[in-house]
Amino acid sequence: NASIINQNETSISWKVQECNVSSYIIEHSKDGAIFKPIATVDAKGSGLHAYAYTVSDVSNSFYRIKQIDIDGKYSYSRVITIKFNDKVQ
C-alpha cells in the first residue's frame, strides 16, 4: 500500500505473515520498468507484522518491495503507482 503524505513525502506500508524472511528491499522507478533499491528493512521474525517507510519524493513514481528469504530466494510485491495530484493506483 502507498499513500501521499504531503507534497514532499510518500508512505509505503505493508503487512505480511513472515516465515523465514531475512529482509525487504524497497525499490523505486521513474518509468515502471527499471527499478533501483532505495532502502532495506530487516524482517522482524515469524508472525504477522506491519511495516512502513517514508520516501521523500515529489514526482510520479513506481514502487515495489523485494522480499528476501533466509535461503536467498526472493519474490516481488505488485507495483504501486504514485501520481501526485491524483489517487494511488
Side-chain angles (χ1 to χ4, degrees):
N1 192 8
S3 60
I4 298 169
I5 296 173
N6 58 44
Q7 292 179 329
N8 301 318
E9 295 179 312
T10 299
S11 174
I12 299 166
S13 61
W14 67 102
K15 188 184 239 184
V16 63
Q17 180 69 43
E18 288 182 2
C19 182
N20 297 320
V21 178
S22 172
S23 62
Y24 302 93
I25 299 173
I26 300 168
E27 297 184 341
H28 172 261
S29 175
K30 289 291 184 191
D31 62 7
I34 300 171
F35 285 83
K36 295 182 180 181
I38 58 169
T40 300
V41 177
D42 290 333
K44 296 178 182 176
S46 294
L48 182 62
H49 301 289
Y51 295 87
Y53 186 80
T54 300
V55 179
S56 295
D57 195 355
V58 294
S59 62
N60 295 341
S61 297
F62 302 86
Y63 295 95
R64 69 181 181 189
I65 297 169
K66 182 178 183 179
Q67 177 182 301
I68 310 290
D69 293 339
I70 291 171
D71 64 4
K73 293 181 182 176
Y74 60 89
S75 59
Y76 292 99
S77 69
R78 69 183 178 93
V79 174
I80 299 289
T81 304
I82 293 290
K83 292 185 178 181
F84 281 78
N85 298 324
D86 203 352
K87 293 182 179 179
V88 176
Q89 296 185 346

